[in-house]
Structures are given as structure tokens and as C-alpha cells.
Amino acid sequence: TYVVTDNCIACKYTDCVEVCPVDCFYEGENTLVIHPDECIDCGVCEPECPADAIRPDTEPGMEDWVEFNRKYAELWPVITQKKDPMPDHEKYDGEPGKLDKYFS
Ligand code: SF4
Ligand code: F3S
């Protein structure tokens, strides 16, 4: 599976949702997630993210992100159409520690 990671938080560009062939992105207030059981590993969303927030779970250290994505994909509504990014997306793009700030 692919997963959405830290740098989506507070940016949420949503370019990714338009290209997913199986519509497996889910939207929370501050970030998106991918449902790991629905993602077919096609990889087309990865280069679409301006924040470089989408990673394959084959990279090291992705286990926690898979669980994060699964947990919230079960709770949040699906998103299939691009919308405006969050108002301060430029300020927060690349800022470290966003997970702790928004999800603790
Ligand atoms: Fe959708 Fe493909 Fe991205 Fe998985 S890798 S979330 S199936 S676009
Ligand atoms: Fe987030 Fe990147 Fe999609 S910032 S909403 S994963 S395009």
C-alpha cells in the first residue's frame, strides 16, 4: 500500500485524490489518509503530491503510518474531488513535528 505521511498535515493539497483509480482517500480536518486495504499499489498518486507526503509502505519505518492511515480511513469520509489547500499550506509545508501538534 501507499500511505499519507506527516507533511500532508495542515497542507492538504488534495491533488492526490483526482488520480486514484479506486477512490481510497479519506478526509479529516487537517490531513488525508489512504485506506491500506483498498489501495491497489498503482503508485500514480505519489508524484502528484506537492508536499511529497505520499510514500510506499516498503520504505523503512512506515508501519506506524500504515496503522495511522487505516485507523482514520475507517472513521473519515471518502474524498474524490480536489479542493483548495488549507489556508496556511505554504507556512506548514515542510514543518517538522506536525503529527504531534495535530494528533496528540
Ligand atoms: Fe490510489 Fe494508487 Fe495511490 Fe493507492 S497508490 S492511493 S490506489 S492512486
Ligand atoms: Fe496531502 Fe499531498 Fe494529497 S498534501 S492531500 S497527500 S496531494
Side-chain angles (χ1 to χ4, degrees):
T1 187
Y2 281 68
V3 289
V4 177
T5 61
D6 194 71
N7 206 33
C8 179
I9 298 168
C11 293
K12 212 163 76 170
Y13 288 101
T14 71
D15 300 65
C16 52
V17 306
E18 296 259 318
V19 300
C20 181
V22 295
D23 293 344
C24 64
F25 282 91
Y26 295 81
E27 183 185 19
E29 199 176 332
N30 303 310
T31 194
L32 299 196
V33 288
I34 291 167
H35 199 309
D37 299 334
E38 296 174 0
C39 173
I40 58 170
D41 251 343
C42 71
V44 298
C45 59
E46 184 185 359
E48 295 300 320
C49 175
D52 204 21
I54 301 175
R55 315 270 19 120
D57 73 340
T58 47
E59 288 187 2
M62 285 294 134
E63 296 82 4
D64 287 355
W65 283 110
V66 174
E67 287 320 303
F68 181 93
N69 278 245
R70 176 175 279 112
K71 174 182 173 183
Y72 288 106
E74 307 270 348
L75 297 172
W76 293 343
V78 71
I79 173 172
T80 58
Q81 292 193 324
K82 181 171 165 55
K83 56 196 263 188
D84 288 341
M86 292 186 71
D88 288 328
H89 61 94
E90 285 177 349
K91 178 176 158 196
Y92 288 112
D93 192 347
E95 179 169 290
K98 290 195 281 186
L99 181 65
D100 289 342
K101 186 170 173 190
Y102 286 92
F103 289 90
S104 58

